[in-house]
């Protein structure tokens, strides 16, 4: 196994979340790394060649360790074609409104997973993380031989145990507060509408279930919250929404502004844009289509992709996927390096204010 320790990857216990869709671009990852945190590229929704080019760009921006995240291919049977077709008909009015066509749902389901694995094993990066499942033991063993530190996203103690048994180096514990897709290993529509488990409770439960290092993710926006998850047993905190408004972020300007726009008052988990539960700001699209979206990932993602692009081009945030965690109103539009410094200073202050136990 890799001899790298989680806290050897960066001076600060701060990880910039891999946000697929363009936000986690090389400029953001490079700036975060240079400031002393662990930057990440999002491999999801990219071609293998496109990911390779972004890795080269990050290497040109920093010599510090960085990570790449991959989406695990969906398991089980493809979605019910009839349910997807019903949703297609429901979205016909959106296509007319934005003067675009709906996407084809027979596009690749595996997100070029094998090709991306081949690139990362042939030319290793310091860290690789996985979302939507756990790789096979032989894949994790291959990364260990390459010297790559592996992290598996989990949303339950059971998933953490599976990652530990498979040979992962660490787990990223994702609470229900997190923005973007829930990284569950099994997408169960019967669990839609259930409260989910908050981050601090989940960290405590996973801490008592596995011996692996933990990265805590979900709604973290301030250094004091980082201190809280460290106290709960995590070795580092992962922040996504906090980095969205940074000038280096590749998020759309409308998305960045929406985080603190009084018009958007809350977040919710929705299948409306991708067919998988994902947390975003509640807008017209989620209200009108969320209740009817089928459990069909990535079919719904491909179906709505042209709508999301057209809405962004039209300057209409009400038709965009505005992924955000529950702490979005605490977002600060600071340069990424400055934000890392502020978070680190807040963390130091919070840790210094913790009561010290008597040793007598």
């Amino acid at each position: 196994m890799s001899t790298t320790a989680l806290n050897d990857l960066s001076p600060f216990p701060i990880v910039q979340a891999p946000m697929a869709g363009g936000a986690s671009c090389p400029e953001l990852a490079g700036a975060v790394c240079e400031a002393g945190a662990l930057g990440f590229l999002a491999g999801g929704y990219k071609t293998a060649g496109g990911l390779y080019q972004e890795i080269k760009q990050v290497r040109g921006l920093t010599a510090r360790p960085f990570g790449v995240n991959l989406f695990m291919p969906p398991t089980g049977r493809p979605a019910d074609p009839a349910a997807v077709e019903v949703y297609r008909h429901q979205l016909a009015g959106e296509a007319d409104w934005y003067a675009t066509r709906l996407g084809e749902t027979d596009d690749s389901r595996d997100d070029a997973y094998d090709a991306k694995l081949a690139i990362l094993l042939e030319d290793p990066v310091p860290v690789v993380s996985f979302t939507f499942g756990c790789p096979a033991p032989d894949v994790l063993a291959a990364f260990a031989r390459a010297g790559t530190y592996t992290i598996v996203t989990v949303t339950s103690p059971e998933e953490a145990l599976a990652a530990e048994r498979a040979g992962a180096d660490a787990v990223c514990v994702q609470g229900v507060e997190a923005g973007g897709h829930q990284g569950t290993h099994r997408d169960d529509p019967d669990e839609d509408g259930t409260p989910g488990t908050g981050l601090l409770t989940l960290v405590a439960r996973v801490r008592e279930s596995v011996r692996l290092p933990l990265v805590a993710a979900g709604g973290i926006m301030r250094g004091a919250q980082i201190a809280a998850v460290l106290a709960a047993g995590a070795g580092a905190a992962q922040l996504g929404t906090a980095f969205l408004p940074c000038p280096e972020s590749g998020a759309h300007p409308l998305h960045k502004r929406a985080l603190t726009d009084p018009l958007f008052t809350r977040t919710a988990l929705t299948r409306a844009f991708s067919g998988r539960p994902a947390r975003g700001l509640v807008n017209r699209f989620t209200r009108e289509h969320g209740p009817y979206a089928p459990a069909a990932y990535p079919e719904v993602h491909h179906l709505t992709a042209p709508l999301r692009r057209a809405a962004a081009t039209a300057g209409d945030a009400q038709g965009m996927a505005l992924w955000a965690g529950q702490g979005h109103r605490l977002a600060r539009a600071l340069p990424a390096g400055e934000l890392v410094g502020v978070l680190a200073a807040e963390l130091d202050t919070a840790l210094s204010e913790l009561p010290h136990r008597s040793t007598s």
Side-chain angles (χ1 to χ4, degrees):
M1 293 296 292
S2 169
T3 57
T4 303
L6 175 63
N7 293 115
D8 291 338
L9 295 170
S10 60
F12 301 131
I14 299 170
V15 179
Q16 166 246 310
M19 297 170 282
S24 295
C25 57
E27 293 78 9
L28 178 62
V32 167
C33 291
E34 284 296 285
L38 181 63
F40 254 92
L41 288 175
Y45 309 139
K46 293 184 177 77
T47 64
L51 177 59
Y52 178 68
Q53 292 302 318
E54 289 202 353
I55 292 171
K56 286 178 61 178
Q57 291 178 53
V58 174
R59 285 175 169 152
L61 293 170
T62 182
R64 293 179 180 271
F66 66 95
V68 173
N69 175 260
L70 298 182
F71 285 170
M72 293 294 298
T75 57
R77 296 180 178 179
D80 179 5
V84 175
E85 196 61 25
V86 168
Y87 197 52
R88 176 184 289 276
H89 285 298
Q90 181 179 337
L91 295 177
E94 298 282 351
D96 291 341
W97 176 257
Y98 291 115
T100 190
R101 293 183 178 181
L102 295 170
E104 296 302 322
T105 57
D106 58 355
D107 288 346
S108 170
R109 298 189 78 242
D110 67 0
D111 199 45
Y113 176 71
D114 288 338
K116 292 171 184 176
L117 282 183
I119 286 172
L120 292 168
L121 288 170
E122 182 177 342
D123 189 6
V125 300
V127 187
V128 173
S129 68
F130 301 86
T131 301
F132 300 151
C134 181
D138 63 324
V139 171
L140 292 170
F143 276 115
R145 289 192 297 271
T148 295
Y149 193 87
T150 53
I151 304 173
V152 174
T153 304
V154 301
T155 60
S156 70
E158 294 75 20
E159 291 175 353
L161 279 167
E164 184 174 54
R165 293 183 185 123
D169 290 317
V171 290
C172 179
V173 181
Q174 185 193 49
V176 73
E177 305 96 330
H181 285 95
Q182 294 286 290
T184 51
H185 294 190
R186 177 173 170 269
D187 182 14
D188 186 357
D190 290 337
E191 295 184 3
D192 288 2
T194 59
T197 305
L199 179 59
L200 287 177
T201 297
L202 188 58
V203 166
R205 292 183 61 199
V206 172
R207 177 71 286 154
E208 294 188 0
S209 301
V210 300
R211 300 178 65 184
L212 297 177
L214 313 184
V215 178
I220 301 172
M221 304 291 289
R222 295 287 189 267
Q225 293 172 293
I226 298 173
V229 296
L230 296 183
Q238 179 171 286
L239 293 74
T241 305
F243 286 101
L244 273 179
C246 294
E248 297 92 343
S249 159
H252 193 281
L254 287 175
H255 191 171
K256 295 182 180 186
R257 291 198 293 270
L259 296 172
T260 53
D261 187 335
L263 184 64
F264 300 101
T265 59
R266 64 187 180 92
T267 66
L269 291 170
T270 182
R271 295 182 182 269
F273 294 104
S274 73
R276 252 191 104 103
R279 183 174 297 283
L281 300 175
V282 175
N283 60 5
R284 178 193 60 79
F285 197 99
T286 58
R287 287 192 296 269
E288 293 183 2
H289 303 294
Y292 312 104
Y297 176 87
E299 289 83 358
V300 171
H301 164 76
H302 294 311
L303 187 68
T304 66
L307 294 178
R308 290 178 273 127
R309 287 193 295 266
T313 299
D316 183 10
Q318 296 294 337
M320 296 170 60
L322 304 172
W323 303 138
Q326 288 183 344
H328 66 96
R329 298 305 293 270
L330 296 171
R332 299 176 282 201
L334 299 174
E338 184 177 340
L339 178 59
V340 170
V342 169
L343 289 167
E346 291 174 344
L347 171 60
D348 281 345
T349 298
L351 292 176
S352 69
E353 293 175 350
L354 289 175
H356 296 283
R357 292 183 179 179
S358 172
T359 57
S360 60

PDB file of all heavy atoms in Angstrom, residues 194-228:
ATOM      1  N   THR A 194     -36.106  10.945   2.395  1.00  0.00           N
ATOM      2  CA  THR A 194     -35.670  10.672   3.761  1.00  0.00           C
ATOM      3  C   THR A 194     -34.684  11.753   4.203  1.00  0.00           C
ATOM      4  O   THR A 194     -34.003  12.354   3.371  1.00  0.00           O
ATOM      5  CB  THR A 194     -35.008   9.290   3.867  1.00  0.00           C
ATOM      6  OG1 THR A 194     -33.887   9.237   2.976  1.00  0.00           O
ATOM      7  CG2 THR A 194     -35.989   8.191   3.486  1.00  0.00           C
ATOM      8  N   PRO A 195     -34.586  12.012   5.498  1.00  0.00           N
ATOM      9  CA  PRO A 195     -33.760  13.137   5.960  1.00  0.00           C
ATOM     10  C   PRO A 195     -32.280  13.009   5.628  1.00  0.00           C
ATOM     11  O   PRO A 195     -31.593  14.004   5.435  1.00  0.00           O
ATOM     12  CB  PRO A 195     -33.990  13.133   7.478  1.00  0.00           C
ATOM     13  CG  PRO A 195     -35.256  12.380   7.683  1.00  0.00           C
ATOM     14  CD  PRO A 195     -35.317  11.370   6.602  1.00  0.00           C
ATOM     15  N   GLY A 196     -31.730  11.816   5.573  1.00  0.00           N
ATOM     16  CA  GLY A 196     -30.295  11.673   5.380  1.00  0.00           C
ATOM     17  C   GLY A 196     -29.562  11.905   6.691  1.00  0.00           C
ATOM     18  O   GLY A 196     -30.140  12.320   7.696  1.00  0.00           O
ATOM     19  N   THR A 197     -28.261  11.651   6.695  1.00  0.00           N
ATOM     20  CA  THR A 197     -27.462  11.762   7.910  1.00  0.00           C
ATOM     21  C   THR A 197     -26.554  12.978   7.843  1.00  0.00           C
ATOM     22  O   THR A 197     -25.830  13.168   6.861  1.00  0.00           O
ATOM     23  CB  THR A 197     -26.605  10.499   8.114  1.00  0.00           C
ATOM     24  OG1 THR A 197     -27.456   9.354   8.113  1.00  0.00           O
ATOM     25  CG2 THR A 197     -25.857  10.555   9.433  1.00  0.00           C
ATOM     26  N   GLY A 198     -26.607  13.802   8.882  1.00  0.00           N
ATOM     27  CA  GLY A 198     -25.756  14.987   8.956  1.00  0.00           C
ATOM     28  C   GLY A 198     -24.297  14.614   9.115  1.00  0.00           C
ATOM     29  O   GLY A 198     -23.945  13.516   9.586  1.00  0.00           O
ATOM     30  N   LEU A 199     -23.412  15.539   8.736  1.00  0.00           N
ATOM     31  CA  LEU A 199     -21.992  15.238   8.649  1.00  0.00           C
ATOM     32  C   LEU A 199     -21.378  14.825   9.977  1.00  0.00           C
ATOM     33  O   LEU A 199     -20.659  13.817  10.055  1.00  0.00           O
ATOM     34  CB  LEU A 199     -21.241  16.442   8.070  1.00  0.00           C
ATOM     35  CG  LEU A 199     -19.726  16.270   7.940  1.00  0.00           C
ATOM     36  CD1 LEU A 199     -19.383  15.087   7.044  1.00  0.00           C
ATOM     37  CD2 LEU A 199     -19.090  17.546   7.418  1.00  0.00           C
ATOM     38  N   LEU A 200     -21.591  15.575  11.048  1.00  0.00           N
ATOM     39  CA  LEU A 200     -20.929  15.260  12.314  1.00  0.00           C
ATOM     40  C   LEU A 200     -21.343  13.889  12.839  1.00  0.00           C
ATOM     41  O   LEU A 200     -20.504  13.121  13.334  1.00  0.00           O
ATOM     42  CB  LEU A 200     -21.223  16.338  13.353  1.00  0.00           C
ATOM     43  CG  LEU A 200     -20.498  17.672  13.143  1.00  0.00           C
ATOM     44  CD1 LEU A 200     -20.929  18.693  14.191  1.00  0.00           C
ATOM     45  CD2 LEU A 200     -18.979  17.487  13.192  1.00  0.00           C
ATOM     46  N   THR A 201     -22.624  13.563  12.707  1.00  0.00           N
ATOM     47  CA  THR A 201     -23.077  12.236  13.125  1.00  0.00           C
ATOM     48  C   THR A 201     -22.458  11.160  12.255  1.00  0.00           C
ATOM     49  O   THR A 201     -22.009  10.110  12.751  1.00  0.00           O
ATOM     50  CB  THR A 201     -24.612  12.154  13.046  1.00  0.00           C
ATOM     51  OG1 THR A 201     -25.182  13.079  13.960  1.00  0.00           O
ATOM     52  CG2 THR A 201     -25.101  10.751  13.381  1.00  0.00           C
ATOM     53  N   LEU A 202     -22.405  11.411  10.952  1.00  0.00           N
ATOM     54  CA  LEU A 202     -21.858  10.418  10.035  1.00  0.00           C
ATOM     55  C   LEU A 202     -20.367  10.200  10.272  1.00  0.00           C
ATOM     56  O   LEU A 202     -19.878   9.062  10.253  1.00  0.00           O
ATOM     57  CB  LEU A 202     -22.110  10.849   8.592  1.00  0.00           C
ATOM     58  CG  LEU A 202     -21.771   9.826   7.505  1.00  0.00           C
ATOM     59  CD1 LEU A 202     -22.547   8.537   7.713  1.00  0.00           C
ATOM     60  CD2 LEU A 202     -22.061  10.416   6.131  1.00  0.00           C
ATOM     61  N   VAL A 203     -19.627  11.282  10.509  1.00  0.00           N
ATOM     62  CA  VAL A 203     -18.199  11.146  10.801  1.00  0.00           C
ATOM     63  C   VAL A 203     -17.996  10.277  12.045  1.00  0.00           C
ATOM     64  O   VAL A 203     -17.134   9.379  12.065  1.00  0.00           O
ATOM     65  CB  VAL A 203     -17.540  12.525  10.982  1.00  0.00           C
ATOM     66  CG1 VAL A 203     -16.150  12.384  11.613  1.00  0.00           C
ATOM     67  CG2 VAL A 203     -17.423  13.242   9.650  1.00  0.00           C
ATOM     68  N   ALA A 204     -18.781  10.527  13.077  1.00  0.00           N
ATOM     69  CA  ALA A 204     -18.643   9.745  14.307  1.00  0.00           C
ATOM     70  C   ALA A 204     -18.943   8.272  14.062  1.00  0.00           C
ATOM     71  O   ALA A 204     -18.234   7.384  14.561  1.00  0.00           O
ATOM     72  CB  ALA A 204     -19.568  10.309  15.383  1.00  0.00           C
ATOM     73  N   ARG A 205     -19.973   7.991  13.286  1.00  0.00           N
ATOM     74  CA  ARG A 205     -20.337   6.593  13.015  1.00  0.00           C
ATOM     75  C   ARG A 205     -19.274   5.898  12.163  1.00  0.00           C
ATOM     76  O   ARG A 205     -18.907   4.748  12.434  1.00  0.00           O
ATOM     77  CB  ARG A 205     -21.693   6.541  12.308  1.00  0.00           C
ATOM     78  CG  ARG A 205     -22.876   6.959  13.175  1.00  0.00           C
ATOM     79  CD  ARG A 205     -24.176   6.808  12.410  1.00  0.00           C
ATOM     80  NE  ARG A 205     -24.399   5.420  12.020  1.00  0.00           N
ATOM     81  CZ  ARG A 205     -25.240   5.050  11.053  1.00  0.00           C
ATOM     82  NH1 ARG A 205     -25.906   5.972  10.370  1.00  0.00           N
ATOM     83  NH2 ARG A 205     -25.398   3.764  10.761  1.00  0.00           N
ATOM     84  N   VAL A 206     -18.772   6.592  11.153  1.00  0.00           N
ATOM     85  CA  VAL A 206     -17.744   5.985  10.302  1.00  0.00           C
ATOM     86  C   VAL A 206     -16.447   5.820  11.080  1.00  0.00           C
ATOM     87  O   VAL A 206     -15.745   4.803  10.943  1.00  0.00           O
ATOM     88  CB  VAL A 206     -17.529   6.822   9.024  1.00  0.00           C
ATOM     89  CG1 VAL A 206     -16.336   6.306   8.225  1.00  0.00           C
ATOM     90  CG2 VAL A 206     -18.787   6.806   8.157  1.00  0.00           C
ATOM     91  N   ARG A 207     -16.127   6.798  11.937  1.00  0.00           N
ATOM     92  CA  ARG A 207     -14.904   6.730  12.745  1.00  0.00           C
ATOM     93  C   ARG A 207     -14.895   5.464  13.607  1.00  0.00           C
ATOM     94  O   ARG A 207     -13.826   4.863  13.840  1.00  0.00           O
ATOM     95  CB  ARG A 207     -14.814   7.979  13.623  1.00  0.00           C
ATOM     96  CG  ARG A 207     -13.652   8.078  14.583  1.00  0.00           C
ATOM     97  CD  ARG A 207     -12.340   8.318  13.881  1.00  0.00           C
ATOM     98  NE  ARG A 207     -11.844   7.134  13.192  1.00  0.00           N
ATOM     99  CZ  ARG A 207     -11.033   7.136  12.141  1.00  0.00           C
ATOM    100  NH1 ARG A 207     -10.602   8.260  11.628  1.00  0.00           N
ATOM    101  NH2 ARG A 207     -10.640   6.021  11.594  1.00  0.00           N
ATOM    102  N   GLU A 208     -16.071   5.051  14.071  1.00  0.00           N
ATOM    103  CA  GLU A 208     -16.152   3.869  14.918  1.00  0.00           C
ATOM    104  C   GLU A 208     -16.273   2.577  14.115  1.00  0.00           C
ATOM    105  O   GLU A 208     -16.290   1.487  14.705  1.00  0.00           O
ATOM    106  CB  GLU A 208     -17.334   4.001  15.877  1.00  0.00           C
ATOM    107  CG  GLU A 208     -17.167   5.126  16.885  1.00  0.00           C
ATOM    108  CD  GLU A 208     -18.235   5.141  17.945  1.00  0.00           C
ATOM    109  OE1 GLU A 208     -19.127   4.261  17.910  1.00  0.00           O
ATOM    110  OE2 GLU A 208     -18.191   6.029  18.814  1.00  0.00           O
ATOM    111  N   SER A 209     -16.357   2.692  12.780  1.00  0.00           N
ATOM    112  CA  SER A 209     -16.554   1.509  11.940  1.00  0.00           C
ATOM    113  C   SER A 209     -15.303   1.087  11.191  1.00  0.00           C
ATOM    114  O   SER A 209     -15.137  -0.097  10.878  1.00  0.00           O
ATOM    115  CB  SER A 209     -17.678   1.762  10.924  1.00  0.00           C
ATOM    116  OG  SER A 209     -18.894   2.064  11.575  1.00  0.00           O
ATOM    117  N   VAL A 210     -14.423   2.048  10.865  1.00  0.00           N
ATOM    118  CA  VAL A 210     -13.238   1.731  10.074  1.00  0.00           C
ATOM    119  C   VAL A 210     -12.004   2.378  10.702  1.00  0.00           C
ATOM    120  O   VAL A 210     -12.111   3.301  11.511  1.00  0.00           O
ATOM    121  CB  VAL A 210     -13.380   2.220   8.611  1.00  0.00           C
ATOM    122  CG1 VAL A 210     -14.572   1.557   7.924  1.00  0.00           C
ATOM    123  CG2 VAL A 210     -13.490   3.743   8.535  1.00  0.00           C
ATOM    124  N   ARG A 211     -10.843   1.907  10.288  1.00  0.00           N
ATOM    125  CA  ARG A 211      -9.579   2.447  10.802  1.00  0.00           C
ATOM    126  C   ARG A 211      -8.927   3.395   9.797  1.00  0.00           C
ATOM    127  O   ARG A 211      -7.826   3.885  10.028  1.00  0.00           O
ATOM    128  CB  ARG A 211      -8.633   1.299  11.133  1.00  0.00           C
ATOM    129  CG  ARG A 211      -9.192   0.338  12.186  1.00  0.00           C
ATOM    130  CD  ARG A 211      -8.258  -0.823  12.452  1.00  0.00           C
ATOM    131  NE  ARG A 211      -7.003  -0.377  13.036  1.00  0.00           N
ATOM    132  CZ  ARG A 211      -5.982  -1.184  13.301  1.00  0.00           C
ATOM    133  NH1 ARG A 211      -6.070  -2.472  13.033  1.00  0.00           N
ATOM    134  NH2 ARG A 211      -4.868  -0.710  13.833  1.00  0.00           N
ATOM    135  N   LEU A 212      -9.575   3.630   8.678  1.00  0.00           N
ATOM    136  CA  LEU A 212      -9.015   4.486   7.638  1.00  0.00           C
ATOM    137  C   LEU A 212      -9.079   5.958   8.035  1.00  0.00           C
ATOM    138  O   LEU A 212      -9.966   6.370   8.782  1.00  0.00           O
ATOM    139  CB  LEU A 212      -9.787   4.306   6.331  1.00  0.00           C
ATOM    140  CG  LEU A 212      -9.750   2.928   5.669  1.00  0.00           C
ATOM    141  CD1 LEU A 212     -10.637   2.926   4.426  1.00  0.00           C
ATOM    142  CD2 LEU A 212      -8.322   2.560   5.302  1.00  0.00           C
ATOM    143  N   PRO A 213      -8.183   6.788   7.506  1.00  0.00           N
ATOM    144  CA  PRO A 213      -8.308   8.238   7.673  1.00  0.00           C
ATOM    145  C   PRO A 213      -9.592   8.739   7.006  1.00  0.00           C
ATOM    146  O   PRO A 213     -10.031   8.197   5.983  1.00  0.00           O
ATOM    147  CB  PRO A 213      -7.074   8.790   6.959  1.00  0.00           C
ATOM    148  CG  PRO A 213      -6.123   7.643   6.884  1.00  0.00           C
ATOM    149  CD  PRO A 213      -6.955   6.412   6.769  1.00  0.00           C
ATOM    150  N   LEU A 214     -10.168   9.787   7.585  1.00  0.00           N
ATOM    151  CA  LEU A 214     -11.421  10.341   7.075  1.00  0.00           C
ATOM    152  C   LEU A 214     -11.220  11.764   6.570  1.00  0.00           C
ATOM    153  O   LEU A 214     -10.560  12.578   7.220  1.00  0.00           O
ATOM    154  CB  LEU A 214     -12.499  10.370   8.162  1.00  0.00           C
ATOM    155  CG  LEU A 214     -12.734   9.130   9.020  1.00  0.00           C
ATOM    156  CD1 LEU A 214     -13.918   9.366   9.946  1.00  0.00           C
ATOM    157  CD2 LEU A 214     -12.954   7.903   8.164  1.00  0.00           C
ATOM    158  N   VAL A 215     -11.835  12.066   5.426  1.00  0.00           N
ATOM    159  CA  VAL A 215     -12.003  13.433   4.949  1.00  0.00           C
ATOM    160  C   VAL A 215     -13.487  13.736   5.091  1.00  0.00           C
ATOM    161  O   VAL A 215     -14.329  12.969   4.613  1.00  0.00           O
ATOM    162  CB  VAL A 215     -11.573  13.579   3.479  1.00  0.00           C
ATOM    163  CG1 VAL A 215     -11.799  15.013   3.000  1.00  0.00           C
ATOM    164  CG2 VAL A 215     -10.122  13.179   3.299  1.00  0.00           C
ATOM    165  N   ALA A 216     -13.831  14.826   5.767  1.00  0.00           N
ATOM    166  CA  ALA A 216     -15.232  15.161   6.031  1.00  0.00           C
ATOM    167  C   ALA A 216     -15.729  16.196   5.034  1.00  0.00           C
ATOM    168  O   ALA A 216     -15.064  17.210   4.792  1.00  0.00           O
ATOM    169  CB  ALA A 216     -15.390  15.696   7.454  1.00  0.00           C
ATOM    170  N   ALA A 217     -16.907  15.955   4.445  1.00  0.00           N
ATOM    171  CA  ALA A 217     -17.463  16.854   3.434  1.00  0.00           C
ATOM    172  C   ALA A 217     -18.948  17.068   3.684  1.00  0.00           C
ATOM    173  O   ALA A 217     -19.684  16.129   3.986  1.00  0.00           O
ATOM    174  CB  ALA A 217     -17.249  16.279   2.030  1.00  0.00           C
ATOM    175  N   GLY A 218     -19.375  18.336   3.527  1.00  0.00           N
ATOM    176  CA  GLY A 218     -20.797  18.612   3.626  1.00  0.00           C
ATOM    177  C   GLY A 218     -21.110  19.899   4.352  1.00  0.00           C
ATOM    178  O   GLY A 218     -21.140  19.939   5.582  1.00  0.00           O
ATOM    179  N   GLY A 219     -21.315  20.977   3.615  1.00  0.00           N
ATOM    180  CA  GLY A 219     -21.761  22.237   4.196  1.00  0.00           C
ATOM    181  C   GLY A 219     -20.693  23.037   4.913  1.00  0.00           C
ATOM    182  O   GLY A 219     -21.002  24.027   5.585  1.00  0.00           O
ATOM    183  N   ILE A 220     -19.427  22.665   4.783  1.00  0.00           N
ATOM    184  CA  ILE A 220     -18.354  23.343   5.522  1.00  0.00           C
ATOM    185  C   ILE A 220     -17.944  24.616   4.782  1.00  0.00           C
ATOM    186  O   ILE A 220     -17.573  24.576   3.614  1.00  0.00           O
ATOM    187  CB  ILE A 220     -17.139  22.414   5.690  1.00  0.00           C
ATOM    188  CG1 ILE A 220     -17.541  21.146   6.442  1.00  0.00           C
ATOM    189  CG2 ILE A 220     -16.012  23.126   6.427  1.00  0.00           C
ATOM    190  CD1 ILE A 220     -16.450  20.097   6.494  1.00  0.00           C
ATOM    191  N   MET A 221     -17.996  25.742   5.488  1.00  0.00           N
ATOM    192  CA  MET A 221     -17.709  27.043   4.881  1.00  0.00           C
ATOM    193  C   MET A 221     -16.767  27.914   5.709  1.00  0.00           C
ATOM    194  O   MET A 221     -16.314  28.951   5.239  1.00  0.00           O
ATOM    195  CB  MET A 221     -19.017  27.816   4.663  1.00  0.00           C
ATOM    196  CG  MET A 221     -20.069  27.095   3.830  1.00  0.00           C
ATOM    197  SD  MET A 221     -19.625  26.924   2.093  1.00  0.00           S
ATOM    198  CE  MET A 221     -19.792  28.617   1.516  1.00  0.00           C
ATOM    199  N   ARG A 222     -16.479  27.522   6.944  1.00  0.00           N
ATOM    200  CA  ARG A 222     -15.680  28.330   7.848  1.00  0.00           C
ATOM    201  C   ARG A 222     -14.633  27.471   8.554  1.00  0.00           C
ATOM    202  O   ARG A 222     -14.796  26.257   8.713  1.00  0.00           O
ATOM    203  CB  ARG A 222     -16.576  29.005   8.914  1.00  0.00           C
ATOM    204  CG  ARG A 222     -17.572  30.027   8.355  1.00  0.00           C
ATOM    205  CD  ARG A 222     -16.858  31.286   7.927  1.00  0.00           C
ATOM    206  NE  ARG A 222     -17.783  32.363   7.585  1.00  0.00           N
ATOM    207  CZ  ARG A 222     -18.230  32.619   6.363  1.00  0.00           C
ATOM    208  NH1 ARG A 222     -17.851  31.843   5.348  1.00  0.00           N
ATOM    209  NH2 ARG A 222     -19.048  33.630   6.129  1.00  0.00           N
ATOM    210  N   GLY A 223     -13.573  28.121   9.009  1.00  0.00           N
ATOM    211  CA  GLY A 223     -12.523  27.407   9.712  1.00  0.00           C
ATOM    212  C   GLY A 223     -13.003  26.741  10.982  1.00  0.00           C
ATOM    213  O   GLY A 223     -12.507  25.664  11.355  1.00  0.00           O
ATOM    214  N   ALA A 224     -13.960  27.349  11.692  1.00  0.00           N
ATOM    215  CA  ALA A 224     -14.481  26.742  12.914  1.00  0.00           C
ATOM    216  C   ALA A 224     -15.181  25.420  12.614  1.00  0.00           C
ATOM    217  O   ALA A 224     -15.142  24.489  13.432  1.00  0.00           O
ATOM    218  CB  ALA A 224     -15.446  27.710  13.608  1.00  0.00           C
ATOM    219  N   GLN A 225     -15.813  25.323  11.440  1.00  0.00           N
ATOM    220  CA  GLN A 225     -16.438  24.057  11.060  1.00  0.00           C
ATOM    221  C   GLN A 225     -15.384  22.996  10.743  1.00  0.00           C
ATOM    222  O   GLN A 225     -15.579  21.814  11.021  1.00  0.00           O
ATOM    223  CB  GLN A 225     -17.355  24.267   9.855  1.00  0.00           C
ATOM    224  CG  GLN A 225     -18.583  25.124  10.145  1.00  0.00           C
ATOM    225  CD  GLN A 225     -19.333  25.462   8.867  1.00  0.00           C
ATOM    226  OE1 GLN A 225     -18.830  26.202   8.016  1.00  0.00           O
ATOM    227  NE2 GLN A 225     -20.516  24.894   8.724  1.00  0.00           N
ATOM    228  N   ILE A 226     -14.271  23.429  10.152  1.00  0.00           N
ATOM    229  CA  ILE A 226     -13.167  22.492   9.925  1.00  0.00           C
ATOM    230  C   ILE A 226     -12.677  21.959  11.269  1.00  0.00           C
ATOM    231  O   ILE A 226     -12.450  20.753  11.426  1.00  0.00           O
ATOM    232  CB  ILE A 226     -12.023  23.175   9.157  1.00  0.00           C
ATOM    233  CG1 ILE A 226     -12.509  23.640   7.783  1.00  0.00           C
ATOM    234  CG2 ILE A 226     -10.838  22.221   9.008  1.00  0.00           C
ATOM    235  CD1 ILE A 226     -11.493  24.475   7.016  1.00  0.00           C
ATOM    236  N   ALA A 227     -12.531  22.843  12.245  1.00  0.00           N
ATOM    237  CA  ALA A 227     -12.105  22.420  13.577  1.00  0.00           C
ATOM    238  C   ALA A 227     -13.080  21.411  14.169  1.00  0.00           C
ATOM    239  O   ALA A 227     -12.675  20.448  14.835  1.00  0.00           O
ATOM    240  CB  ALA A 227     -11.974  23.638  14.497  1.00  0.00           C
ATOM    241  N   ALA A 228     -14.371  21.617  13.918  1.00  0.00           N
ATOM    242  CA  ALA A 228     -15.385  20.710  14.464  1.00  0.00           C
ATOM    243  C   ALA A 228     -15.253  19.305  13.890  1.00  0.00           C
ATOM    244  O   ALA A 228     -15.334  18.311  14.621  1.00  0.00           O
ATOM    245  CB  ALA A 228     -16.777  21.268  14.191  1.00  0.00           C
TER     246      ALA A 228
END
